[in-house]
Amino acid sequence: MSYRDLRNFTEMLRTLEFPRLVSIDNFRQPNFPLVAEILIWIIRRIDATATIPTDVEDETDRVLFVKAVAQFMATKLHLRLNTKRLYEADGHAVKELIKATSLLYNALKSQNEEAPQGGESGPPVTLSDFNLTSKIGELKVRAGAGVPAFMDEYEKLEAELAKTYETYIEKFRNISYLEQELEQHNRTEQDKLEETEQQLKRMQARLRDEEMRMMRGSDETFGLGGDMDHSDEETDSDADLETEPRGVATYGSMRGGMDSDEGSDLSDSFGDIDDDDDDDDLGGLGDDLDDDQSDLSDDAF
Amino acid sequence: MKIELKKSGQHNRHKDVAAAVVWTTSGSLVSAGDDHRVLQWNETLDDASELINLKEEWYPTSVAVGPNPKRSQGDVFAIAFDDGKFRLMAQTGRIEKTVEAHTGAITTLRWSADGQSILTAGEDGLMKVWSRAGMLRTVLAQSAQPVYGAAWSPCGSRAIHTAGKHVAVVSLKATAKAETWKAHDGVVLCVDWGAASNLIVSGGEDGRYKVWDAFGRLLYASTPDLYPITSCRWSPTGDAFAVGGYNSVRLCDRAGWSYAVDKPATGSVYEVQWSHDGTRLAGACASGDVLLGQLVMRSVSSPRYVVTQTGPATLIARSIAANTDEELDFREPIVKMVLRFGHLVVTTATQCVVYAEDNWLSPSTIMLKAPAVAVTLGRSHIALADKTDTITVYTYDGKTASTIKPPHAQSDRFSATSIAVADDTVAIIDHRDAKAVRVYDTQSGKEMGKPLVHSVEISTILLDQGGASLDRCLAFVDKNRDLCIVQVRRSQRRAEKIATMVSDAMWHDDHHMLATLQEAKLQLWFYPACAFVDQDMLSFTKQGVVTGGDLGKAPYLTSFSGNTCSVRRADGASMTFSVPPQVAVLQSHTSRNAWEDAIRLCRFIKEDALWACLAVIATKAKELNAAEIAYAAVNAIDKVEFLQLVKSIPTAEGRKAELAVFSGQIEEAATTLLQAGLIYRLVDMYIRLFDWDKALDVAIKHKTHVDTVLASRQRYLEGLGQRESKAKFVQYSQSVEVDWDDIQLKIQQALEAEKQRPGATPYV
């Protein structure tokens, strides 16, 4: 193992957007789970449908896994990996891994390089080129270079692009309309629910009041009845006033509960990230790849 | 501040990873990469020429440039490789020497500032020091983990290295113990120790960069980035540092907060390097690109103008009140700019241009013999330290006042905080012994007296600008963050510690007032020189400024002039506070000897702090009536009584001596009395100070009042219930007869004689 290999390897993983941060010191000690995770990730990047045993708990599983990986690399990428070294899962394994990652890395690099180069082609036209003779000369040069031939193709492609863009816009508009509709529907539904709930509450309160009145009814004198009613109404409305905020409070607390649940979820996931920061966990590999996928999204935080 | 980054072109860049960049002595940029090439770049980074072609199996990891013993042959490159060897190579590519230094790769190689030694650190966890010829001197450190970064301390007597999540400071002296602390939550990848700032910056795989002081105290920790920090480097000017990470180059203030971040799509930036003048920055990137950045948008401000650098050689001076812009163009790239005391001083490689704030059209231009490394301004002078280890003092109209060549000076250790200049004095921290300050005369350039030596290393020095030449005050902050002041132009230099835990200090631009930052609080000292007159008044004459909240960790002062004081917080915010104007008015009254006006002002303001200032200033000027009134106002009854006693002394010398004793200057008092021939007063003074030996010596020498001394001593011992223990007193008490009546008579006679002296009248 060497410093340069580790440095370049971690750099390649960063550039290829490997979901974890891999420390330069991760391979000082054998770390099979991490090596396995990287290998699986490389294979998935090359062929998302490839079937590779993902169980690397005990020795035989690991041997099988390494064999399968080596076979995959040999058939798909024509890469010969040293299985023994891969199994060691330390600095020597990095030398093998780097063969595969550099393939991806160089592909990405050359792709990036081509993009700006394409944009740069063609002589630059500046405002000072208003001299006609030079312009004509330039046109002649262009004609010689066969620019019009590409022009046709360019126009065709442009028309196609315009059409595709139109359909895209239409679809986008449709989907946003539908989304809005759905949202509105959800909102009215929610409102309705709240309203019935509140009504229920109000009814309950009224029933309770009535019950109280009936219980008190025997003690009350007859003459005060009218006043009583009035005061009752007052209390009723008071109760309404009370229940209303209470209802809101319930609703609030419900939402608050949801919020707090979400909050705790969030904090849990942050906790996960914190755990991930640990070196030990950096190398850890979940049994299930799906789990890793969720880890991935966590890391995106 | 900002960096305008430029990427090397697709065709010129390294075909593989660029691992290292370095600036040669002549100022050109050289890079080395995994494509086995060492490239030299032109000024604009458009073109590269292959300087050295390395062998196929050689992968460079770090490059440093050292001085060639034969200067004519250009630089010597020390190139470290990933096979654990480093090679000393001439510019021509000739291998001078191959050294097998480490097992595994060498991660870092650094040449010391004096060019005499080379520091290497390797994957094997070792840090070694080599002579410049490649002979092993010492193995400085051994750690269990690979060392990814290492750096020299500014003085070259210590070195710092990384080890896992820790960093360690190791001394070259074998006896000193290494100081180790946990720096990051991930592996530490890079570390640098600023020569000018004396601060440490480190970066790690946790995506943070942190700033530490030389003792490992954390000053700043950044918020974590998504990716590891792979490189960090202090600017040679010490006011900023650069940090490289994955696809990012960040420029940070010395306090840690970020000025600007650039996101070049170049992968990890493995190394960043500042040019020697600190105006350009180079980077080596994983993609093989080389980065070159020009420092722009530097800004300096005064109460009336803000001057901003808009391009490499252009400035815009904006008047704050009128909101008008003045564009200033220069022939060469701007290296330094300072704005203070109503003047803007700009240096380029060959020139120093001085503008007066109101007159942007006709600057005075000074031609420089060598590039300037540090510029310090005083009220009427500019001190300019250059590459030839010389400090030249100019006036603002461009005339040379003097040239100072301090012994042991190293140009790269000059900074604005290690030089101070005033109308009559220039002070410089010694470069060999940081405990010493050398003091020079501004006009003659001659050193005045021996260097001032403190008990611990001094980190910052400042000279006050106002006041009389004899009272010129040097304030210095030592490495324990104690603030001391000393009157440097006196023959007896007495350093008085006036404050502790001072992170920064600044004198007022015109008056003898000091602002300090202590434990994140702003403190104003209205008359710090009272430490030399009356220590008790020190606490009266200082005032904490209500800052409305914490100033945070490691704030620093940016200006203190007129009625305002500005502080830069660690998070980059600038806060301006008002300073009570009455102190400045009082000081201008007293400097004109307008004591009546001063008293009237104090009566009007009715503040203890102001009265205390007046008391001290008046006492110092021997203006006893004003002093008496002022002391009475601060309820210092003992001092009022003492002053009344002093006033009753008939001779001026007697009064002078008494006041000297009051401010603790015993020797001065003794000389005064001796010169005036007032022997009884001298004897009496020593008796009152219980300095029996001196009292007896004086009495014996002048053959008078011996019995007075003996009698007083006897009474003193009786009072304490002790026996005579001094042999000299035993001897004399046997031969001299003690008679109190006789003594009283003699004293009366002496006092009478004093009254009869010509011109002797009590003070009015």
Side-chain angles (χ1 to χ4, degrees), chain A residues 239-250:
Chain A
D240 266 4
L241 275 175
E242 266 180 49
T243 47
E244 208 164 344
R246 208 186 291 158
V248 170
T250 329

Side-chain angles (χ1 to χ4, degrees), chain A:
Chain A
M1 65 177 156
S2 99
Y3 161 72
R4 204 176 59 85
D5 287 339
L6 291 169
R7 186 192 68 188
N8 292 350
F9 181 61
T10 51
E11 174 67 21
M12 282 176 195
L13 288 182
R14 274 198 289 271
T15 312
L16 295 170
E17 290 166 9
F18 183 65
R20 284 179 195 283
L21 285 182
V22 177
S23 166
I24 198 164
D25 273 356
N26 269 154
F27 299 97
R28 301 273 169 197
Q29 301 293 327
N31 190 348
F32 196 84
L34 181 61
V35 170
E37 190 182 344
I38 293 169
L39 281 170
I40 291 169
W41 172 79
I42 293 171
I43 289 168
R44 287 282 141 88
R45 267 194 82 126
I46 295 164
D47 181 1
T49 58
T51 46
I52 290 288
T54 49
D55 196 5
V56 289
E57 276 307 300
D58 54 42
E59 277 175 38
T60 46
D61 287 339
R62 288 183 182 190
V63 171
L64 280 176
F65 172 77
V66 169
K67 267 187 184 163
V69 167
Q71 198 158 21
F72 178 87
M73 295 290 181
T75 50
K76 294 268 179 181
L77 302 176
H78 305 292
L79 267 183
R80 275 178 60 92
L81 298 188
N82 187 329
T83 47
K84 217 174 183 176
R85 282 183 168 179
L86 272 186
Y87 184 77
E88 279 175 29
D90 60 2
H92 297 298
V94 170
K95 272 198 170 31
E96 302 301 313
L97 287 171
I98 216 166
K99 287 181 195 166
T101 49
S102 59
L103 212 73
L104 293 173
Y105 180 75
N106 289 336
L108 190 75
K109 216 164 119 179
S110 56
Q111 192 187 341
N112 284 347
E113 267 163 35
E114 269 163 27
Q117 266 177 356
E120 277 168 21
S121 62
V125 182
T126 59
L127 274 175
S128 60
D129 293 338
F130 269 99
N131 193 337
L132 264 181
T133 47
S134 73
K135 192 136 198 183
I136 289 162
E138 201 178 283
L139 279 172
K140 271 181 186 162
V141 172
R142 279 197 176 196
V147 172
F150 289 114
M151 207 62 193
D152 285 349
E153 202 183 331
Y154 170 72
E155 269 163 12
K156 209 162 61 190
L157 283 172
E158 204 167 42
E160 209 170 290
L161 178 73
K163 216 182 282 169
T164 323
Y165 185 69
E166 219 161 85
T167 48
Y168 164 73
I169 287 288
E170 196 181 353
K171 278 185 178 160
F172 186 80
R173 217 186 281 144
N174 286 349
I175 202 163
S176 42
Y177 171 73
L178 285 173
E179 267 171 2
Q180 194 198 334
E181 284 287 286
L182 183 69
E183 210 172 290
Q184 207 153 10
H185 181 74
N186 281 344
R187 209 179 295 140
T188 48
E189 203 80 337
Q190 179 79 17
D191 284 352
K192 247 185 237 168
L193 205 81
E194 272 167 36
E195 210 171 307
T196 47
E197 213 167 287
Q198 235 162 44
Q199 234 161 16
L200 224 75
K201 286 248 166 66
R202 219 174 289 160
M203 225 179 315
Q204 266 178 349
R206 199 171 290 156
L207 276 173
R208 205 167 47 230
D209 279 344
E210 231 152 83
E211 213 171 302
M212 292 288 279
R213 199 163 42 181
M214 272 164 82
M215 280 165 79
R216 272 181 296 175
S218 54
D219 300 337
E220 245 115 37
T221 49
F222 203 73
L224 287 168
D227 278 357
M228 269 277 293
D229 265 350
H230 181 66
S231 67
D232 247 356
E233 255 173 40
E234 259 189 359
T235 49
D236 208 2
S237 62
D238 274 356
D240 266 4
L241 275 175
E242 266 180 49
T243 47
E244 208 164 344
R246 208 186 291 158
V248 170
T250 329
Y251 167 65
S253 75
M254 264 173 71
R255 254 187 47 177
M258 274 161 62
D259 275 353
S260 70
D261 266 352
E262 269 173 27
S264 66
D265 267 352
L266 267 176
S267 62
D268 275 353
S269 57
F270 275 124
D272 280 349
I273 291 171
D274 279 350
D275 285 349
D276 280 353
D277 279 350
D278 277 351
D279 273 0
D280 304 350
D281 274 19
L282 260 175
L285 176 76
D287 286 349
D288 206 331
L289 250 175
D290 287 348
D291 269 1
D292 284 318
Q293 290 301 324
S294 65
D295 269 355
L296 198 160
S297 59
D298 282 349
D299 280 343
F301 276 103

Side-chain angles (χ1 to χ4, degrees), chain B residues 653-668:
Chain B
E653 293 87 353
R655 290 196 289 270
K656 191 181 168 195
E658 210 59 47
L659 286 174
V661 175
F662 175 70
S663 47
Q665 284 147 356
I666 311 298
E667 278 176 47
E668 198 187 313

